[in-house]
Amino acid sequence: MLIVQKYGGSSVANAERVFNVARRILKAKEEGNDLVVVLSAQGKTTDGLIAKAKEINPKASRREMDMLLVTGEQQSVALMAMAINALGGRAISLNGVQVGIETTNNYSNARIRKIQTERIENELERGNVVLVTGFQGVNTLGDMTTLGRGGSDTSAVALAAALNADVCEIYTDVDGVYTADPRVVKDAQKLDEISYDEMLELASLGAKVLHCRSVEVAKKYNVKLSVLSSMTDAEGTQVKEECKMERMLISGVAADKNVSRISIIGVKDEPGKAFEVFALMAKEKVSVDIILQSTGRDGRQDISFTIGKDDLDIALKALEDSKERLTAEAIQHDDNVAKLSIVGAGMASNPGVAAMFFEAMYDAGVNIQMISTSEIKITVLISEEDIDTAMIAVHDKFKNVSVNMRKN
Ligand code: ASP
Ligand code: MG
């Protein structure tokens, strides 16, 4: 079998853990498999590098940031090769340029366009375990790029797709995907399996187990994906197209604290205002999430929306600069908010899910500021300090409700 494994930063945080992973890799190799292993930077290395850059130039260009950040993953693969060699195995480390992980040009948030497989295949043929830096690639200018925070998952899945690997195993410090954050919700359950679509929603809604784009790529190329712990031998969670019939009505509750709300108050109630607001945000490359427009009164209305916390300053500045053109009376913001979401493919065919969700929020005394829904999810915006209470209450409400999933 050709196996692509990925180990996250916590799994390779220090020498002891590097050796732990090296032994796991060698075990899989001894069982007769070919191994391509993607690594993240050790522990909090990436955060550390970002802090270093901030000390020197808080407005550093994205190109130079990428130049700096790619070094974290290079340390990991080189150290892992040394560990495997020390244990008597054979390994070689390669970075994104050496492999030929071709990406789009945009620094700090590049997308993989194509992966050259020749070098990796040659090294596998020579009997090497091939260690590949996660999170990085090379653009058409020959510059190194990164794929966005958490992007090593995407590197692994894309490699699995390009190499036509039999499986892609993502090793992390939890042993799978849970119905809620097990640190907050004590009786959260591990899922044996979850569909790509549900995982995609959960990942984009703040469940941090997998990089969102990795799930997109897995779905697109039908990559067999599992999420496992690097510390135990427990069975993990399989992410795949279809899931078994009997299961909890919702597949998970996710929280995202990286949210701010902006409200533009008293905008003239006339065509084009929403367009102007969101065109401004697009120009600043700020992605907008939940949007709410109040019904008009006295010819005026309010437009509220949520964005990531990191984008708040840029967004506010752009809006303040255009306040007159937008005919806004005031621009308010709150970064003390969080999103809570439930996700489940069974939702669409089961009426009453929304009522149960809102009842749980009411029972917990949590006030809802905004609501957004799709076929398989409901999201609410609430005060950040309510997030744990709300998550526990909602999980409690749904934990004993199972559903028979029928394909129609
Ligand atoms: N080291 C990078 C980060 O912290 C990429 C990753 O770990 O997936 O975001
Ligand atoms: Mg990660």
Side-chain angles (χ1 to χ4, degrees):
M1 282 218 301
L2 173 59
I3 305 177
V4 173
Q5 299 187 331
K6 179 258 171 179
Y7 293 91
S10 55
S11 300
V12 293
N14 51 42
E16 190 194 325
R17 293 200 182 168
V18 168
F19 273 111
N20 169 53
V21 168
R23 276 186 215 101
R24 296 184 80 104
I25 294 171
L26 285 175
K27 185 162 168 266
K29 173 90 180 141
E30 276 151 24
E31 286 162 5
N33 301 298
D34 280 335
L35 275 127
V36 174
V37 181
V38 174
L39 300 179
S40 290
Q42 292 186 290
K44 302 252 173 260
T45 301
T46 307
D47 290 334
L49 290 171
I50 292 172
K52 269 191 187 181
K54 282 220 169 105
E55 247 176 64
I56 295 196
N57 180 356
K59 295 207 175 96
S61 73
R62 289 173 192 254
R63 181 192 183 278
E64 300 308 333
M65 284 306 292
D66 279 0
M67 203 52 193
L68 180 69
L69 296 189
V70 294
T71 63
E73 270 68 17
Q74 295 194 45
Q75 293 179 23
S76 294
V77 290
L79 292 168
M80 187 61 71
M82 294 174 197
I84 290 176
N85 293 339
L87 293 173
R90 292 180 55 190
I92 183 166
S93 65
L94 299 172
N95 70 16
V97 180
Q98 290 168 311
V99 170
I101 301 180
E102 298 170 12
T103 73
T104 53
N105 280 337
N106 49 325
Y107 304 102
S108 90
N109 200 19
R111 280 174 180 255
I112 297 176
R113 291 171 39 235
K114 193 175 177 210
I115 298 182
Q116 303 291 348
T117 54
E118 210 182 310
R119 178 75 195 266
I120 293 181
E121 281 159 357
N122 288 343
E123 296 299 344
L124 287 173
E125 208 131 293
R126 285 195 191 107
N128 277 318
V129 169
V130 184
L131 303 165
V132 180
T133 49
F135 177 56
Q136 62 176 256
V138 56
N139 68 15
T140 54
L141 302 169
D143 283 344
M144 301 195 77
T145 52
T146 65
L147 308 179
R149 295 305 304 271
S152 298
D153 297 335
T154 301
S155 309
V157 176
L159 273 163
L163 295 164
N164 210 353
D166 297 286
V167 278
C168 182
E169 301 171 342
I170 307 281
Y171 288 91
T172 167
D173 50 2
V174 290
D175 55 2
V177 181
Y178 277 75
T179 51
D181 184 343
R183 284 163 301 193
V184 178
V185 179
K186 294 292 165 241
D187 55 356
Q189 299 159 29
K190 188 171 75 182
L191 299 166
D192 297 333
E193 46 183 39
I194 184 169
S195 70
Y196 291 125
D197 286 333
E198 290 169 298
M199 192 63 236
L200 206 53
E201 289 280 14
L202 279 180
S204 67
L205 292 167
K208 292 197 190 62
V209 248
L210 284 177
H211 193 231
C212 202
R213 220 174 304 141
S214 70
V215 189
E216 277 173 36
V217 177
K219 179 178 161 74
K220 186 162 171 199
Y221 296 100
N222 213 354
V223 175
K224 265 207 199 153
L225 192 62
S226 35
V227 179
L228 310 133
S229 160
S230 62
M231 314 294 169
T232 69
D233 287 318
E235 270 191 42
T237 301
Q238 306 239 358
V239 189
K240 50 191 195 183
E241 190 60 49
E242 273 186 41
C243 293
K244 66 171 181 251
M245 300 303 212
E246 258 288 300
R247 52 182 295 178
M248 207 163 116
L249 176 53
I250 59 169
S251 58
V253 187
D256 187 355
K257 296 183 183 170
N258 179 23
V259 188
S260 312
R261 178 180 53 78
I262 293 184
S263 296
I264 308 170
I265 309 292
V267 177
K268 268 200 191 145
D269 194 359
E270 61 188 28
K273 287 300 166 224
F275 168 58
E276 278 180 44
V277 168
F278 298 112
L280 262 181
M281 294 300 103
K283 190 165 154 258
E284 301 295 334
K285 296 207 163 46
V286 169
S287 39
V288 171
D289 187 21
I290 313 176
I291 298 174
L292 188 77
Q293 183 180 292
S294 67
T295 47
R297 52 176 155 69
D298 309 329
R300 300 245 169 202
Q301 62 181 9
D302 308 333
I303 299 176
S304 300
F305 56 93
T306 63
I307 57 175
K309 275 203 166 82
D310 297 342
D311 287 334
L312 185 60
D313 290 345
I314 298 174
L316 284 176
K317 172 151 193 324
L319 292 167
E320 285 293 346
D321 289 349
S322 309
K323 195 170 158 188
E324 261 166 46
R325 191 161 52 84
L326 293 171
T327 67
E329 287 165 353
I331 293 166
Q332 301 172 347
H333 65 94
D334 185 356
D335 61 4
N336 193 19
V337 289
K339 275 191 318 188
L340 185 79
S341 309
I342 55 171
V343 171
M347 218 179 260
S349 49
N350 285 273
V353 173
M356 279 174 73
F357 181 53
F358 295 128
E359 185 178 25
M361 301 292 281
Y362 168 69
D363 289 342
V366 175
N367 189 42
I368 298 170
Q369 302 180 18
M370 287 171 131
I371 301 170
S372 114
T373 63
S374 83
E375 277 244 296
I376 64 167
K377 71 142 205 250
I378 303 174
T379 298
V380 293
L381 190 78
I382 60 179
S383 171
E384 189 172 331
E385 65 232 20
D386 288 335
I387 195 77
D388 289 357
T389 320
M391 188 185 242
I392 294 166
V394 170
H395 189 270
D396 236 41
K397 189 92 188 167
F398 284 95
K399 74 179 174 203
N400 294 320
V401 189
S402 65
V403 64
N404 216 343
M405 304 270 289
R406 237 176 257 113
K407 272 268 154 196
N408 37 3

